[in-house]
C-alpha cells in the first residue's frame, strides 16, 4: 500500500468530524456515535428534525459549514445519489452508504441505481457499501451499533455481512475479544475487501484479521492482498456461499458471484489463510489467536471432572487432528500421589474430579496437577474444563462461594504457570448452557470466566468450541513452522 | 423380552421401597429421592448417623424390617462386597452400585474386587453398575440428582456415562425434553446396555431412545437388541472412543474395549440407528425426535432477519444433506406483496427483517409469511430464526415488551399453521449466547423460547444446532420410508 493511500485510509478510520444523513431518534449510528469521543464532532442531518439527541439537526450536508470527513448515508435508496452528490460538492472524504436495496435485490432498475451511485463516487469520494454497516474503530470513536465493544484491541474484522460485523462486536464483547478496526463493506461498489486487507495487513494495531466474505469482483487482487496479509499476521476466513444453494443466497445478499468452493479453499490454503466452517468457529479461532500462545505441537492434555466428557473430548481432539498422548511415567506417578483412585483416571485425559473440589485436607490442588503435567514433554497444550458448581453447592451450601473463589484462584494460578513458566498453550472451557435459568449457577460460572479472562486466557462456553479453536491455533502454528 | 423378565424390569424401574446405603447430609441420591413421591418409602443407611433429613438412619440394610426393592450402594469400593452380600441376604431385588474404583482404574486388584462383586450378585440380585448413576424414572419417583427434570415424557436414555445421564436430565430440563426412563449403567458387570435396550424398546412410555456407549461385552446381543429397538422407535446413538486416543480414554473410564469405529458405524447403519458425533447433537436430535413432525422431504425454508446468517444457514443445510430450494413463483409473488425490497431477499432463504418488527401499519406479519410459504410444494420443513430484540429495544424503548409479546404470538401462530394445517416440520432457533449478561435481553429470548415450547416446537439456542437436528430428523424419516 502506497504511503498516500495509507494516509487516506488512516484518515478514513480516524475522522475528525462525522455526519449521519438520515439521522433519527432511534437510528443506531447516531446512538452509537453519541456514546463515543466523536459525540462533539458529530453532525446530524435530516430535514424532518430541528434538533435530535440535544443537537442541532441540519436539513442537508450542504448546511454544515465545514462538511464532515466521514458521512453515514442512511436515507432511502432512491435518495442516495442526490445525497452523495451533495457530499462530493461539500468535499467529504468518505461516504458510507448504509442503505440497502441496490444490485443485491436482483432487480434491473436497482442495478442501474447502484451504477449511478458508483458513477457519482468514482474518483471523487471513497465509498463504503452500499448495504453495509461501515467502520467501527474504538481508537477514533467511529461506531455503528450502540453498546458494542469499545475497548481497544488487536483484532481487525473485515466482513461483507453487516450482521456478522455487528455480531462480532456484540458477541466479541461477551467473549473478551478487543478490536482494532471492524469494517462491514457490503456490495463493495468502490472500496472492496482487498483495500481493507491491504490496510489492516500493515496496520500496527491489528495483530489478527478475521474475514467474512461471500465473493469478490477481482480475484487476482484478492489473492495478492490476502497472501500478503497472511504472510504478516494470522488471517482467519469464513467464506459464505460454498454450496450451490448458498451461492444463490449470497447473490441475493450482497450481489456476489461466489465462485466454486474448491477455488476458494485452494486460494485460502495457498495464501496460508485459516479457513473455518461457520461463524462460531470464526469467532472462537479469532479469540484464541488474539490472546493464546501458539502450541509447539499436537500433544494436548485434557483436564476434566467427567469420564464421559473426557472420552468425547479425546475423540474431538483426535478427529480435529490433535493428539492426546499418554503422560510420561513420571507425570503419572506424581499425579497418583494426589488424586484418589476411585472414579478418576490418572492419565491423559485426566479425569480427576476430587481435585476440582479443592477441599481442605486433600493432598493436592488443581494448580499442582496442572503444574505437574505442564512439565510433561509430550504435552504442548492444556484444555481445562470447568463445570463443577452444582455438586459443590449441594455439598457446601452457602460456603460454596468462598470455596469457589479459592478454586478459581488455584486454577488460574496453575494455568499461568503452565503458560508463563512452561510455555504451554492453555485453553479454558467454562461450560454454560445458553438457556440456563439458574441465576446463582450462572453467576458462579461467569465469575470463573472473568478470572481467566483477566489473565488473558481464551474462555469458551462449550468443550467442542475450545478444542476446535485449539486446533485452529495449531494449524496456524504448524503452517508458520513449515513456511 | 420374556414376560417374567419384563415384569422384573418393571419392578426395577418402579420400586415400592428404596434404600440409600452410604447416605449423608449431602449425597445427591438422598436429596433427589427426598424430593419425589418415594420420599416416604425411602430408607437411609449409614452407621455414622442416627437421623438424616429428618428420618431415622439405619446402621445396616439388615436392620430394615422388609429390606427394600431398590438399593443405592454409595460406600467405599472396599466395602461394596459386604454391603451387597447383606442386600442379597435381605432379598433386595436390585442393587445399583454408584461406587467407582473397580476395573476402570486399570489396577489388577481392583479388577479382582469387581470380580468378587460380580460373583456375589450372580443369579441372586440385579446389579446396575458399578461406577454409574443408576435409574431415574419420573413416574415412579426414582431419581439420582436433585432438581432434575421430573415431568413425565417419552424419551428413554441409556448412558454408560454417569455425567451424560446427569447432563441429559439437567440440560433436558432447560430444553423441554421430558423423560420416561434414564439409566446410567457404568461398568455393566451384570445388567448391560442390551438389557435396557430390550426393555425400553417395548416400553409403551418410551417413544425415542437416546444412547451413549463406550463399548460392550457382547457385540452379538447388542446388535440383535439395537436392531429390534430401532425397528420399533427412533434410536439415536453416540459412541464414545471412536479414535485410538479416545479408545484408551474409554478404557480408563468404564473399562470398555471400544472396538474399531468402522465396526460401530456399520452396526448402527445396518440397525437403522441414527449415529451422532457429539453430546450436543445427541441431545438436539433427541429433542427433535421427541416432539417434531418428521419431514416429508429435504426441502427446507429458512426464515431469518440477517443476510449473512441466511447465506451460512443455507450452506449448513446443503452441507448437512438438506436442500434450500427456490420458492415457486406463486410463493415469491405473494411474499413480495408484503415484504419491502430494501435489505431483504424475497426468496429462500427468506431474509425479511421488516416483518420481524411487526410494526403497525405494515402490510403483512411473520405469520402471513409462514402461512404463504408453508403452501409451497417444494418446502417440507421450516427453520425459523429469532434474534431480533436489540434493534426493537432501541427503536421502541419500553414499548418493546408489548410488541415482542405480539410478535411472539404471531410467530407461534404461523408455525402452528405450518405444522398442524400443512403438515410441515418446524424447527425454531431462539439465538442466545451462553455468556450473555444482558438480563433484559435474556428475559425476552426466554419468553420467546417458552412460547414455542408450550406449543411443543423444538427450540435451539444456535442455528447450527437446529439445522443439524432437522437433518437427523430427515435421516430417520427417509430411512423409515426406505425400509
Amino acid at each position: 500500500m502506497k504511503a498516500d493511500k495509507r494516509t487516506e485510509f488512516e484518515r478514513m478510520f480516524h475522522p475528525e468530524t462525522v455526519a449521519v444523513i438520515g439521522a433519527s431518534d432511534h437510528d443506531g449510528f447516531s446512538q452509537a456515535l453519541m456514546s463515543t469521543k466523536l459525540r462533539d464532532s458529530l453532525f446530524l442531518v435530516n430535514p424532518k428534525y430541528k434538533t435530535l439527541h440535544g443537537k442541532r439537526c441540519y436539513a442537508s450536508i450542504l448546511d454544515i459549514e465545514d462538511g464532515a470527513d466521514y458521512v453515514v448515508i442512511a436515507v432511502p435508496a432512491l435518495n442516495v445519489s442526490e445525497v452523495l452528490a451533495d457530499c462530493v460538492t461539500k468535499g467529504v472524504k468518505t461516504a458510507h452508504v448504509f442503505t440497502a436495496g441496490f444490485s443485491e435485490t436482483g432487480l434491473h432498475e436497482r442495478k442501474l441505481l447502484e451504477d449511478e451511485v458508483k458513477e457519482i463516487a468514482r474518483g471523487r469520494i471513497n465509498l463504503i457499501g452500499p448495504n453495509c454497516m461501515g467502520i467501527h474503530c474504538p481508537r477514533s470513536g467511529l461506531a455503528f451499533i450502540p453498546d458494542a465493544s469499545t475497548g481497544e484491541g488487536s483484532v481487525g474484522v473485515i466482513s461483507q455481512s453487516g450482521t456478522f460485523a455487528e455480531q462480532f462486536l456484540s458477541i466479541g464483547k461477551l467473549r473478551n475479544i478487543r478490536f482494532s478496526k471492524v469494517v462491514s463493506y457490503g456490495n463493495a461498489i468502490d472500496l472492496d475487501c482487498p483495500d481493507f486487507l491491504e490496510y489492516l495487513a500493515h496496520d500496527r494495531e491489528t495483530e489478527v484479521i478475521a474475514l467474512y466474505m461471500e465473493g469478490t469482483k477481482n480475484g487476482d487482487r484478492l489473492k495478492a492482498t490476502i497472501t500478503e496479509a497472511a504472510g504478516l499476521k494470522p488471517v482467519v476466513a469464513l467464506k459464505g456461499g460454498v454450496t450451490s444453494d448458498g451461492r444463490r443466497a449470497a447473490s441475493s445478499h450482497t450481489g456476489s458471484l461466489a465462485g466454486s468452493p474448491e477455488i476458494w479453499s485452494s486460494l485460502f490454503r495457498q495464501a496460508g489463510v485459516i479457513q473455518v466452517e461457520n461463524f462460531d468457529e470464526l469467532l472462537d479461532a479469532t479469540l484464541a489467536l488474539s490472546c493464546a500462545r501458539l502450541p509447539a505441537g499436537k500433544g494436548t492434555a485434557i483436564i476434566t471432572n467427567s469420564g464421559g466428557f473426557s472420552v468425547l473430548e479425546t475423540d474431538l481432539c483426535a478427529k480435529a487432528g490433535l493428539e492426546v498422548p499418554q503422560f510420561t511415567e513420571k507425570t503419572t506417578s506424581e499425579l497418583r500421589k494426589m488424586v484418589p483412585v476411585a472414579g478418576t483416571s490418572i492419565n491423559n485425559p485426566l479425569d480427576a474430579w476430587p481435585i476440582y473440589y479443592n477441599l481442605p485436607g486433600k493432598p493436592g490442588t488443581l494448580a499442582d496437577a496442572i503444574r505437574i503435567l505442564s512439565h510433561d514433554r509430550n504435552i504442548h497444550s492444556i484444555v481445562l474444563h470447568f463445570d463443577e458448581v452444582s455438586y459443590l453447592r449441594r455439598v457446601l451450601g452457602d460456603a460454596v462461594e468462598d470455596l469457589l473463589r479459592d478454586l478459581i484462584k488455584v486454577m488460574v494460578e496453575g494455568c499461568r504457570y503452565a503458560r508463563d513458566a512452561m510455555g504451554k498453550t492453555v485453553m479454558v472451557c467454562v461450560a454454560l448452557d445458553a438457556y440456563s435459568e439458574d441465576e446463582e449457577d450462572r453467576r458462579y460460572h461467569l465469575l470463573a470466566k472473568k478470572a481467566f479472562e483477566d489473565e488473558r486466557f481464551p474462555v469458551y462456553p462449550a468443550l467442542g468450541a475450545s478444542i476446535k479453536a485449539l486446533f485452529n491455533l495449531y494449524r496456524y502454528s504448524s503452517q508458520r513452522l513449515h513456511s
Side-chain angles (χ1 to χ4, degrees), chain A:
Chain A
M1 191 172 230
K2 288 186 189 147
D4 55 340
K5 195 172 172 198
R6 162 144 298 277
T7 310
E8 207 176 313
F9 269 71
E10 282 295 319
R11 285 199 191 130
M12 185 188 307
F13 280 81
H14 305 85
E16 283 179 19
T17 51
V18 179
V20 177
I21 306 183
S24 71
D25 48 9
H26 60 256
D27 83 275
F29 296 102
S30 305
Q31 288 181 15
L33 291 162
M34 284 301 290
S35 70
T36 77
K37 65 184 87 165
L38 281 171
R39 178 194 184 102
D40 297 327
S41 322
L42 171 66
F43 297 92
L44 303 176
V45 180
N46 190 336
K48 289 186 200 153
Y49 299 88
K50 290 286 169 210
T51 59
L52 259 180
H53 305 295
K55 274 180 176 287
R56 173 178 169 190
C57 189
Y58 296 80
S60 156
I61 181 84
L62 299 173
D63 300 337
I64 303 169
E65 195 170 350
D66 297 322
D69 296 339
Y70 182 99
V71 170
V72 179
I73 298 180
V75 300
L78 297 176
N79 304 343
V80 167
S81 294
E82 190 189 340
V83 164
L84 185 67
D86 288 348
C87 290
V88 170
T89 305
K90 204 67 197 182
V92 168
K93 302 271 188 309
T94 304
H96 150 227
V97 183
F98 165 64
T99 310
F102 293 92
S103 65
E104 82 282 2
T105 59
L107 304 173
H108 181 62
E109 69 269 25
R110 294 299 181 127
K111 174 73 174 74
L112 294 180
L113 199 60
E114 186 172 285
D115 289 345
E116 186 182 295
V117 170
K118 190 171 170 179
E119 203 46 50
I120 296 169
R122 190 197 300 274
R124 298 180 189 92
I125 195 168
N126 286 314
L127 190 145
I128 306 173
N131 185 22
C132 69
M133 299 303 291
I135 295 175
H136 176 100
C137 176
R139 184 173 289 255
S140 71
L142 264 189
F144 53 69
I145 50 167
D147 306 318
S149 172
T150 50
E152 295 173 23
S154 65
V155 172
V157 177
I158 304 173
S159 170
Q160 195 156 8
S161 153
T163 316
F164 287 169
E166 285 187 3
Q167 292 264 324
F168 237 107
L169 286 172
S170 54
I171 303 184
K173 190 177 175 185
L174 305 174
R175 301 287 172 85
N176 206 31
I177 302 180
R178 304 269 171 79
F179 300 94
S180 54
K181 277 105 185 169
V182 177
V183 195
S184 144
Y185 66 91
N187 295 11
I189 62 173
D190 177 24
L191 296 178
D192 199 355
C193 182
D195 298 297
F196 298 111
L197 261 174
E198 211 170 38
Y199 173 58
L200 293 188
H202 296 279
D203 178 38
R204 274 191 219 152
E205 289 166 16
T206 300
E207 290 167 17
V208 183
I209 299 173
L211 191 60
Y212 173 76
M213 60 190 321
E214 295 180 355
T216 183
K217 280 147 187 162
N218 187 339
D220 289 341
R221 205 178 143 223
L222 178 70
K223 189 172 178 178
T225 52
I226 209 170
T227 304
E228 187 197 19
L232 293 166
K233 48 193 78 170
V235 178
V236 196
L238 173 61
K239 172 68 182 65
V242 293
T243 62
S244 62
D245 288 341
R247 274 196 290 286
R248 188 170 46 71
S251 149
S252 302
H253 179 220
T254 49
S256 294
L257 296 168
S260 90
E262 295 74 23
I263 289 177
W264 284 94
S265 298
S266 122
L267 184 156
F268 290 141
R269 202 171 44 248
Q270 285 170 29
V273 168
I274 306 297
Q275 186 181 8
V276 296
E277 297 294 312
N278 58 55
F279 185 70
D280 289 332
E281 194 188 345
L282 179 65
L283 205 78
D284 294 340
T286 302
L287 169 60
L289 285 161
S290 78
C291 69
R293 192 179 262 278
L294 293 180
K298 289 184 182 184
T300 306
I302 291 172
I303 310 176
T304 173
N305 63 327
S306 148
F309 278 113
S310 80
V311 174
L312 287 190
E313 260 179 279
T314 304
D315 279 342
L316 281 177
C317 277
K319 280 188 213 165
L322 298 166
E323 282 167 12
V324 184
Q326 290 194 269
F327 293 139
T328 62
E329 275 185 37
K330 182 158 175 283
T331 307
T332 311
S333 74
E334 285 185 44
L335 286 171
R336 236 184 237 297
K337 287 178 201 155
M338 46 177 285
V339 182
V341 72
T344 63
S345 169
I346 316 304
N347 206 319
N348 192 14
L350 179 62
D351 165 19
W353 57 267
I355 52 169
Y356 273 87
Y357 302 152
N358 200 35
L359 298 168
K362 298 288 174 193
T365 68
L366 206 38
D368 299 326
I370 297 170
R371 243 180 242 116
I372 291 167
L373 61 84
S374 73
H375 283 268
D376 193 303
R377 63 171 181 271
N378 298 330
I379 299 307
H380 309 106
S381 307
I382 296 172
V383 179
L384 176 66
H385 180 199
F386 176 74
D387 183 14
E388 201 38 71
V389 175
S390 54
Y391 175 85
L392 287 172
R393 280 169 72 189
R394 207 150 74 214
V395 178
L396 297 172
D398 288 342
V400 73
E401 175 115 17
D402 286 342
L403 184 125
L404 261 183
R405 286 183 189 275
D406 284 348
L407 174 59
I408 289 167
K409 213 176 118 204
V410 159
M411 290 194 296
V412 172
E413 239 176 66
C415 290
R416 278 175 52 188
Y417 180 84
R419 179 187 63 188
D420 302 338
M422 301 306 296
K424 309 290 176 175
T425 305
V426 178
M427 310 293 280
V428 180
C429 169
V430 176
L432 188 55
D433 192 83
Y435 288 156
S436 163
E437 292 187 61
D438 182 336
E439 291 312 319
E440 193 81 352
D441 195 76
R442 286 184 56 78
R443 192 169 66 79
Y444 291 134
H445 279 89
L446 292 173
L447 208 68
K449 167 186 176 268
K450 289 214 165 55
F452 283 108
E453 285 179 350
D454 286 347
E455 296 289 334
R456 299 295 292 149
F457 291 105
V459 184
Y460 299 90
L463 269 175
S466 60
I467 289 168
K468 200 71 196 239
L470 175 60
F471 174 64
N472 282 321
L473 269 185
Y474 169 73
R475 277 168 79 190
Y476 179 69
S477 162
S478 64
Q479 171 184 295
R480 278 213 326 178
L481 286 173
H482 295 106
S483 67

